[in-house]
Amino acid sequence: MKVTCILLVVFSCALTPALLAQQPTLLTVLHGFAGSPADGAYPYRPLVVGGNDNAIYGCTPAGGTNGWGTIFRINRDGSGYSVIHNFSDGEQSLPWTIRNPVLYVTRGSDGALYGTSQSGTNYPNGMVFKLNTDGSGYTVLHGFTNSDATPLNLMQGRDGALYGAGFRAIFKLDTDGGNYNVLHIFNNASDGTRAYGRLIQGTDGALYGATYAGGTNNGGTIFKINTNGTGFTILHTFTNNPDGASAYAGLTEGSDGALYGVTRLGGTNNVGVIFKLNQDGSGYQILHHFQTNGVDGTYPYGDLVQGLNNILYGTTYFGGPTNDGTIFEIGLDGSHYSVLRSFGTSTNVEPNRPVSGLVQGPASDGSGVLYGVANWGGGPYGSLYSIVVNPPLSITPLVSQFAGQPVVAWPAWALNYQLQSTTNLADTNSWVAATNGILMTGFQPAKPSPGTYYRLVWPQ
């Protein structure tokens, strides 16, 4: 018996411009964290998208077999979740709070994972570690002995070296742990302190970052430094109101070469801003003041990411109708600010209260998938989710056979589309639901008639 499977996406309304919100139907929970002893808990640091292995990596500051956090791996379609490392109290022994980051992980050009821990009984001032993506080869590359260099983040420069920043210093070391060097020690009163957010390397080769506190107004700073430690410069000192203050997130370089970021506080409502400035510190401007109106987001903690069509995407920890956080978008020029998603209040069903920002997944045919984590909701101890921007007009299905019957499968992020079937394409009223409404990434028809067709329909 031959069964023809055609998968179509039908929208019930006209297509909208890329900057208009594609509301909630496209958010999918890929994993709900279960906590100790089998799983991690309360994810809050950014995810890492792998290279050619179709995987996403991240860390949790709690949970796992020892209760001190984990590193995990999951396929981009939500399958294959596994904990690849469980931390012990010797490696990580600080309790987690939003403003007390404990773990950070990034991916190196060699495919390995590199990360930092802020404190452990064996490394009271933190460490830099390395492991393979299957969890093997775990190695401590450097244990800090000076609290000036307690690490909060890590990245790899184009020269192959690892760079990071912490409470009071910027440091550098090789991927084998050698040649450790402190590039700069922050002067709290003038430079700032507590560089929670990531460092980035600009197109000019310099490193850029932000501090949460310190500086002449004690609201933090934006800084620049060369990879050899020279040329440390304060590009901007936050002044709170109407300026921003307390940048927990790192910076993002846009396609126009400018630097973009968010502050947790400051602005006209003291609930944060989105800002922009040039790499020489000139042209600083506020693109958006977050509002306490029950619609907008408030208190953004996470990094911005530039997605398709030169649009910036980000998250807020609070705000929205139920004050459980939002996902927003904004143009590089500050235009078309829009809330894409307002998280709900059900802690067992939907993600809420995201601390970290989003990361860009694969994009094709003008669509894009963003991935993020939330501290609460979607699982007992937080969740990992995906959201699609610019939903594709067609989704290429995987059609296969199982026990002699056809199986239709589609991407996990498209779970909220409705699968329908018909045996008469000429009759537009003959389409019926092919499932009972249960979300799934695969569907095995029960004895379909010859010439059965399938489509994915945008839910109404």
Side-chain angles (χ1 to χ4, degrees), residues 67-106:
W68 291 111
T70 68
I71 299 175
F72 61 84
R73 179 192 188 278
I74 187 171
N75 294 326
R76 289 197 294 258
D77 63 1
S79 65
Y81 177 86
S82 63
V83 172
I84 60 174
H85 184 75
N86 288 279
F87 286 94
S88 68
D89 62 354
E91 302 162 326
Q92 195 285 100
S93 60
L94 280 177
W96 168 80
T97 63
I98 291 175
R99 279 176 281 171
N100 182 31
V102 174
L103 297 170
Y104 192 95
V105 68
T106 188

Side-chain angles (χ1 to χ4, degrees), residues 138-213:
Y138 178 84
T139 305
V140 174
L141 299 180
H142 182 79
F144 293 91
T145 58
N146 187 325
S147 60
D148 285 342
T150 301
L152 297 173
N153 53 70
L154 197 68
M155 57 86 71
Q156 186 173 36
R158 290 194 285 273
D159 59 359
L162 301 173
Y163 296 87
F167 280 99
R168 289 185 291 276
I170 304 168
F171 61 90
K172 174 182 181 178
L173 75 162
D174 295 337
T175 53
D176 62 0
N179 294 317
Y180 173 80
N181 185 28
V182 174
L183 300 182
H184 181 77
I185 296 178
F186 293 118
N187 180 318
N188 178 62
S190 58
D191 298 350
T193 185
R194 287 189 276 172
Y196 289 128
R198 65 183 180 186
L199 294 175
I200 64 167
Q201 187 169 22
T203 51
D204 61 355
L207 303 176
Y208 294 86
T211 64
Y212 184 82

Side-chain angles (χ1 to χ4, degrees), residues 45 97-101 152-153 165-168 186 188 191-198 209-223 234 236-240 244-251 262-266 270-272 275 299-302 355:
R45 282 297 207 175
T97 63
I98 291 175
R99 279 176 281 171
N100 182 31
L152 297 173
N153 53 70
F167 280 99
R168 289 185 291 276
F186 293 118
N188 178 62
D191 298 350
T193 185
R194 287 189 276 172
Y196 289 128
R198 65 183 180 186
T211 64
Y212 184 82
T216 55
N217 301 296
N218 199 33
T221 63
I222 301 171
F223 62 85
I234 298 298
H236 183 77
T237 299
F238 292 107
T239 60
N240 192 52
S246 300
Y248 187 89
L251 301 171
V262 296
T263 64
R264 173 182 169 268
L265 299 174
N270 199 32
V271 291
F275 64 83
Y299 302 117
Y301 281 90
V355 174

Side-chain angles (χ1 to χ4, degrees), residues 331-370:
L332 296 181
D333 60 357
S335 62
H336 301 287
Y337 174 84
S338 176
V339 173
L340 285 175
R341 177 81 178 197
S342 293
F343 290 114
T345 58
S346 176
T347 57
N348 294 320
V349 177
E350 181 169 316
N352 56 77
R353 303 290 173 86
V355 174
S356 75
L358 302 164
V359 296
Q360 176 77 57
S364 61
D365 300 327
S367 65
V369 186
L370 303 174

